[in-house]
Amino acid sequence: MPVSLRDVPAAAEARLRRVFAARREQTSAIAPEVADLTDLITTFTLSGGKRVRPVFAWSGYRCAGGVLDTSDAVAALDLCAALELIQACALIHDDVIDLSDTRRGNPTVHRSVTATHRHRSWSGDADHFGMSTAILLGDLALSWADDLIIAADLGPGIRTRIGPVWSAMRTEVLAGQILDVVGEAGYDESVDAAFRVMRFKTAGYTVARPLQLGAVAADAPDDLVVTLGQVGDGLGIAFQLRDDLLGVFGDPERTGKPSGDDLVAGKRTALLALALQNADADAPRVAAELRGLVGRPLDARELDRARAILHDVGAVRAVEDHITRLVDESVGILTSAPVEATARAELVAYATAIAGRRM
């Protein structure tokens, strides 16, 4: 079992490898073609990613006094692995929705399947086949996550308490994705809309719910579960705000995606919403210029101009200020919470690192 949070990613991956080996055997018995395609879930899940959700789930378990080398700890590790399968589902589907070409520096799942279709000269439209198969693979990852929860060695009382948290998390992340799609279709540029999407699409299943799931696995009292949810809300939004900045200013070697990809895709991020809000109030012509630069391919000069506008209208500084405030508030709540001291210190250090992406 992981002794510190540094040990969690490797432990979660080891558990996932066992899951994938069992599922490989199962899908091979159905058909070799099915097994070959479902291998993409394995490759995608294990190729990159920082295992943020398992780390927060294990942190919740330890904050609530969960002990090592017990059946409860094994069950908590199953939760950690299940969260990575939820993440795989969300990312595979997100890349289909965004028509993304790369993820973590590699072709997205639907692009990989499309390439396989063309390489094997199969009939039909290769792009449609790639997207259809990726949707099904994402669904399969979600079902495997549920399988892990069902099979976890949880006591009856703990299982009863985990069910509603797990159910709420799944509904929130999918509802958040729907909000994101609707917001783009309806061209909702408001800051409130951007933060609402972050709260449900990212913060809940990235930090808040994993912390709560881990705490419930340790049979934490209800008030501590609520408190960890509050901590996770703030940290999760801070995490996504940092991701918004990296989506525009990040190094592709670190992010695995082209620099400025969020602007090209026209994502309704909080960064963009704050920029438009500020520019609409103080510089309408600049606001119009920024709108003209979003949601289409940009050359290097145009991308530099869009970045400059984000700085000039104060959006970058506003996002940084939000991150600082949210982390400080979350740490403040955690500091006064009745959690295990060593686990608290590790969580504070980890949360501060991911908010600044110093990890």
Side-chain angles (χ1 to χ4, degrees):
M1 290 296 109
V3 175
S4 74
L5 295 187
R6 292 189 302 272
D7 303 323
V8 174
E13 286 183 20
R15 181 69 184 96
L16 283 166
R17 290 182 188 280
R18 294 196 296 274
V19 171
F20 290 137
R23 292 299 182 263
R24 221 295 171 173
E25 183 176 347
Q26 184 180 19
T27 54
S28 293
I30 297 171
E33 297 86 354
V34 174
D36 290 344
L37 287 170
T38 54
D39 281 346
L40 286 171
I41 304 174
T42 304
T43 301
F44 179 80
T45 305
L46 297 177
S47 298
K50 296 180 174 63
R51 316 298 172 216
V52 170
R53 290 151 193 86
V55 170
F56 279 117
W58 191 257
S59 181
Y61 178 75
R62 296 293 283 156
C63 280
V67 296
L68 305 177
D69 300 321
T70 65
S71 60
D72 289 345
V74 174
L77 191 57
D78 283 343
L79 292 174
C80 293
L83 285 164
E84 278 302 284
L85 289 169
I86 290 282
Q87 168 74 340
C89 167
L91 293 182
I92 291 170
H93 285 173
D94 202 44
D95 287 339
V96 171
I97 292 168
D98 293 341
L99 300 177
S100 298
D101 295 324
T102 60
R103 169 73 67 174
R104 298 168 179 164
N106 299 308
T108 52
V109 169
H110 65 281
R111 297 300 187 208
S112 294
V113 178
T114 297
T116 297
H117 184 287
R118 289 180 175 140
H119 177 72
R120 297 183 180 179
S121 299
W122 286 344
S123 64
D125 183 88
D127 289 321
H128 181 71
F129 178 84
M131 289 189 287
S132 300
T133 303
I135 291 169
L136 295 171
L137 292 176
D139 291 345
L140 195 55
L142 177 60
S143 72
W144 290 352
D146 284 341
D147 290 345
L148 269 176
I149 298 300
I150 292 170
D153 186 15
L154 299 163
I158 292 176
R159 183 175 298 282
T160 299
R161 294 177 65 203
I162 274 183
V165 181
W166 182 257
S167 177
M169 180 188 70
R170 290 181 309 170
T171 298
E172 287 164 358
V173 67
L174 293 172
Q177 183 67 74
I178 292 170
L179 278 174
D180 195 18
V181 171
V182 170
E184 289 189 18
Y187 212 71
D188 190 341
E189 298 176 340
S190 70
V191 174
D192 285 345
F195 272 83
R196 186 165 56 250
V197 168
M198 280 192 295
R199 164 65 185 83
F200 291 106
K201 182 182 175 182
T202 302
Y205 95 106
T206 299
V207 189
R209 295 306 188 185
L211 280 172
Q212 290 183 321
L213 287 166
V216 172
D219 203 18
D222 289 341
D223 57 349
L224 179 56
V225 175
V226 171
T227 296
L228 289 175
Q230 293 170 342
V231 170
D233 279 343
L235 294 178
I237 293 172
F239 177 85
Q240 182 58 48
L241 287 171
R242 178 60 61 193
D243 203 55
D244 288 352
L245 289 173
L246 291 174
V248 176
F249 300 98
D251 180 356
E253 292 296 321
R254 291 187 58 198
T255 65
K257 300 188 76 172
S259 185
D261 204 38
D262 281 359
L263 290 175
V264 172
K267 285 185 173 292
R268 302 291 127 188
T269 63
L271 175 65
L272 179 60
L274 286 163
L276 292 173
Q277 175 182 270
N278 292 351
D280 280 336
D282 300 325
R285 289 185 180 179
V286 173
E289 182 183 3
L290 180 57
R291 286 187 175 92
L293 292 168
V294 172
R296 65 175 179 82
L298 301 175
D299 60 31
R301 182 188 61 79
E302 290 173 322
L303 182 56
D304 285 343
R305 176 56 184 157
R307 288 169 171 158
I309 291 174
L310 294 174
H311 274 289
D312 293 345
V313 300
V316 174
R317 172 45 53 196
V319 168
E320 291 284 6
D321 288 345
H322 276 296
I323 292 172
T324 299
R325 176 183 58 78
L326 288 164
V327 172
D328 287 348
E329 289 175 354
S330 297
V331 170
I333 295 170
L334 190 62
T335 299
S336 59
V339 302
E340 199 277 328
T342 301
R344 177 195 288 118
E346 277 201 301
L347 176 54
V348 169
Y350 185 76
T352 303
I354 69 159
R357 290 294 175 94
R358 299 187 300 276
M359 50 176 292

